[in-house]
Amino acid sequence: ITLVMSAVFIPVAFLPGPVGVFYRQFSLTLAIAIAISGVNALTLTPALCAILLRESDTERKKNNFLQRFFDAFNKAYDTVAGSYKNAVAAVAGRKMVTLALLVSFFAATWGINRVLPTGFIPNEDQGVVYINVTAPSGATVERTERVLNQIQKVAAGMDIVEATSTLAGYSLVNGVSGASFGMGIVNLKPWDERRHSVNEVIKILEERTKGITDADVEFFSPPTVPGFGNSSGFEIRVLDKTGRGDMQELETVTKNFITALAGSPAIDQAHTNYDPNFPQYMIHVDQDMAAKKGITIEQAMGTLQTLMGGNYTSNFVRFGQMYRVMVQAAPQYRAKPEDLLQLYVKNSNGEMVPFSTFVRMERVYGPEQLTRYNMYNCARINGTVAEGYSTGDAINTIREIAAQQLPRGYGFDWAGMTREEVKSGDQALYIFIISLVFVYLVLAAQYESFLLPLPVLLSLPAGIFGAWLALKVCGLQNNIYAQVALIMLIGLLGKNAILIVEFAIQKRNEGVSVPRAAVEGSVSRLRPILMTSFAFIAGLIPLCIATGAGAMGNRSIGTAAAGGMFIGTVFGVLVIPGLYVLFASLTERKKPASVANARPVPVSINNEIPKSSV
């Protein structure tokens, strides 16, 4: 069991990329813990049994309440074990019944996988709400700040809000500076002091700020994993692959795409900060005239940068502190765009030449920042998933709408956390297959057979079905935490099958028939299987009902593991004996005639279920 469970987790530790980080931390922790537990089971546990499990006086045992409880429990268990023995004897000898059960679980697993929503990393309630404000093109910082003050006043009036901070001049979504952008952070009170989740708070803020019409206001929660974008939900880029560089056309295509996304039931909101209509000035330089005046373009633009934008030149120390020296034209000489034509640049002869001599200004409109993605001009789209849908549903919806709406020459690509989710794709399936292969090889070496490990592996569909059924019933998604639970179930359910198959092989080696060996192995191992399985499920209950920070991740892994362990154990103890009979019979058919015709050693078999104590 120790080797098999280690074989499940060790290969997972070598997965690359961001997804591999999740699996690696989990797999290494469990593999090391399992190895230590195996050593402990072979050394310390027997010593503790010798100390703790001592004989006691018979009369005291009869009068002891716990002992009476144990006796009643054992009597009830013996009744259950007797019924289980009859059921196994009826099922294990009928191969078609076993195959029908196996096919049923395969079909049920496939069916529930079709309706179970998929996701990547669930959004967690981190007690923080982000605000992104986009004022009209050309708006001043003062105008943006007035909008932020209105939002801050609304947030301050909510008793579940602990503090609010805002900053005008910076876009939280795009990560760029600009007078028409603003951001804010709303810190909520601790979970035990509020009744509303982050998503509910966002709905309240949206309702109370819908009267603000001077800017576009967006509320969203931070991403679960820092470094993959600045917001939760999905993130994509619309790419202009035409090569024309038409910013206005890119805006039209993007807005039409967003309108189509907003009309889908799987998408709650979709928005973009791409705006090619910022008022700007295009500077046209007459290069021939500049050359006649003895001025190079590099020299002219360098001087313009220093005069209008400022330039760092040196440091100086005063009052025990270091200060930076910035060279820039005085404010009265750069108050209006037209003041540029009144500035001078020194030519190669040391003469001061006005910019108006070789520069002409044209009023134009364009994006405040030119963004490229894989060398293409692009527009960024952020959005959130509608309630009742998963990010997997949103990804499929975006693909379908993009195929219909985006014109020729335009495409899209994923970004942020959405890109990682798409890249992971069927990676969980490959991980599952690799773990199964390693388990199969370990068992094949242990049993010295390529068929006997199959009952262990084919007992897993019942557990997978149970895990996905529990996720569906509880309204959760098949995300990365649930996939980690599935990897864990390979080892845990494989442990149950190993207990039965190993004991059945021992009985068969003693000369017992294959069906009888399956029954004996199942009944004798039923108690430890139920003890370990239900103890494990009980330990998962706190995860299944978790609240607060990390609640969705804990619920996903706890619910999937508990559901898979329960269904896999209840039905596995019926399917595994039948699978053993099926494959053990095939194994013996392939043995040499001298071995197959050998007479079994007569043994005495007691049909009664031995009584045992807790």
Side-chain angles (χ1 to χ4, degrees), residues 221-348:
S221 57
T224 305
V225 180
F228 294 96
N230 293 325
S231 64
S232 57
F234 63 86
E235 183 178 340
I236 59 176
R237 301 283 194 275
V238 177
L239 308 180
D240 180 7
K241 300 181 178 181
T242 61
R244 295 191 295 267
D246 191 337
M247 301 298 175
Q248 302 296 330
E249 183 180 9
L250 177 59
E251 180 192 26
T252 303
V253 171
T254 303
K255 287 187 175 179
N256 292 337
F257 188 40
I258 290 178
T259 302
L261 290 177
S264 170
I267 307 298
D268 182 25
Q269 296 182 27
H271 45 77
T272 181
N273 292 103
Y274 177 77
D275 188 354
N277 299 312
F278 282 88
Q280 301 172 347
Y281 280 94
M282 176 72 73
I283 297 178
H284 297 276
V285 179
D286 188 340
Q287 299 188 32
D288 294 336
M289 181 60 68
K292 291 179 181 179
K293 296 294 184 179
I295 299 171
T296 63
I297 302 300
E298 180 182 4
Q299 184 182 9
M301 295 300 103
T303 303
L304 188 62
Q305 164 65 36
T306 300
L307 296 176
M308 300 295 288
N311 193 17
Y312 165 74
T313 58
S314 181
N315 296 324
F316 73 94
V317 178
R318 192 172 185 183
F319 307 119
Q321 264 190 319
M322 182 176 290
Y323 296 89
R324 306 183 72 179
V325 178
M326 302 293 296
V327 177
Q328 193 175 25
Q332 63 269 26
Y333 297 105
R334 50 183 174 86
K336 301 186 296 295
E338 295 79 6
D339 290 341
L340 183 150
L341 300 177
Q342 308 301 322
L343 300 177
Y344 290 80
V345 57
K346 184 180 292 187
N347 64 7
S348 55

Side-chain angles (χ1 to χ4, degrees), residues 9 33 74 129 138 140 152 183 187 197 262 270 293 322 326 331 356 358 371 374 376 380 427 476 512 549 604:
F9 295 111
N74 289 330
V129 176
T140 61
Q152 189 170 14
M183 60 159 286
N187 294 309
S197 65
K293 296 294 184 179
M322 182 176 290
M326 302 293 296
S356 59
F358 58 91
T371 305
N374 288 338
Y376 295 112
R380 175 176 182 165
Q427 191 173 18
L476 300 173
V512 179
S604 175

Side-chain angles (χ1 to χ4, degrees), residues 34 50 67 83 92 105 111 250 263 278 285 290 340 457-458 498 526 588:
I34 289 168
Q67 189 59 44
S83 302
F105 278 115
L250 177 59
F278 282 88
V285 179
L340 183 150
L457 301 182
L458 292 177
I498 290 171
L526 178 63
E588 295 198 355

Side-chain angles (χ1 to χ4, degrees), residues 239-491:
L239 308 180
D240 180 7
K241 300 181 178 181
T242 61
R244 295 191 295 267
D246 191 337
M247 301 298 175
Q248 302 296 330
E249 183 180 9
L250 177 59
E251 180 192 26
T252 303
V253 171
T254 303
K255 287 187 175 179
N256 292 337
F257 188 40
I258 290 178
T259 302
L261 290 177
S264 170
I267 307 298
D268 182 25
Q269 296 182 27
H271 45 77
T272 181
N273 292 103
Y274 177 77
D275 188 354
N277 299 312
F278 282 88
Q280 301 172 347
Y281 280 94
M282 176 72 73
I283 297 178
H284 297 276
V285 179
D286 188 340
Q287 299 188 32
D288 294 336
M289 181 60 68
K292 291 179 181 179
K293 296 294 184 179
I295 299 171
T296 63
I297 302 300
E298 180 182 4
Q299 184 182 9
M301 295 300 103
T303 303
L304 188 62
Q305 164 65 36
T306 300
L307 296 176
M308 300 295 288
N311 193 17
Y312 165 74
T313 58
S314 181
N315 296 324
F316 73 94
V317 178
R318 192 172 185 183
F319 307 119
Q321 264 190 319
M322 182 176 290
Y323 296 89
R324 306 183 72 179
V325 178
M326 302 293 296
V327 177
Q328 193 175 25
Q332 63 269 26
Y333 297 105
R334 50 183 174 86
K336 301 186 296 295
E338 295 79 6
D339 290 341
L340 183 150
L341 300 177
Q342 308 301 322
L343 300 177
Y344 290 80
V345 57
K346 184 180 292 187
N347 64 7
S348 55
N349 299 323
E351 301 172 342
M352 302 301 292
V353 179
F355 277 96
S356 59
T357 306
F358 58 91
V359 166
R360 177 175 59 87
M361 297 178 63
E362 177 188 4
R363 188 179 180 87
V364 297
Y365 295 90
E368 191 165 35
Q369 184 185 48
L370 190 60
T371 305
R372 288 187 173 89
Y373 194 84
N374 288 338
M375 301 305 295
Y376 295 112
N377 291 337
C378 74
R380 175 176 182 165
I381 297 179
N382 291 81
T384 55
V385 182
E387 188 174 355
Y389 291 87
S390 66
T391 53
D393 298 329
I395 288 173
N396 294 331
T397 300
I398 292 171
R399 283 173 172 158
E400 295 173 0
I401 295 177
Q404 300 171 1
Q405 292 291 328
L406 293 181
R408 185 176 181 180
Y410 286 85
F412 79 99
D413 204 348
W414 312 101
M417 188 66 71
T418 311
R419 182 176 182 84
E420 295 301 324
E421 180 174 354
V422 173
K423 283 174 61 180
S424 65
D426 297 329
Q427 191 173 18
L429 177 62
Y430 301 138
I431 295 170
F432 200 76
I433 293 174
I434 291 173
S435 297
L436 289 179
V437 169
F438 270 74
V439 171
Y440 176 78
L441 293 176
V442 171
L443 291 176
Q446 180 178 348
Y447 294 150
E448 298 181 353
S449 170
F450 289 108
L451 290 178
L452 290 181
L454 294 179
V456 177
L457 301 182
L458 292 177
S459 65
L460 297 177
I464 299 173
F465 167 74
W468 286 345
L469 178 64
L471 291 173
K472 181 64 177 178
V473 170
C474 295
L476 300 173
Q477 302 174 3
N478 180 17
N479 51 43
I480 193 170
Y481 294 106
Q483 292 160 13
V484 166
L486 290 183
I487 302 298
M488 183 169 56
L489 284 174
I490 296 178

Side-chain angles (χ1 to χ4, degrees), residues 1-2 5-6 9-10 25-41 488:
I1 291 173
T2 301
M5 296 188 72
S6 298
F9 295 111
I10 292 176
Q25 293 178 352
F26 186 83
S27 62
L28 290 178
T29 301
L30 279 183
I32 295 172
I34 289 168
I36 296 174
S37 176
V39 174
N40 175 71
M488 183 169 56

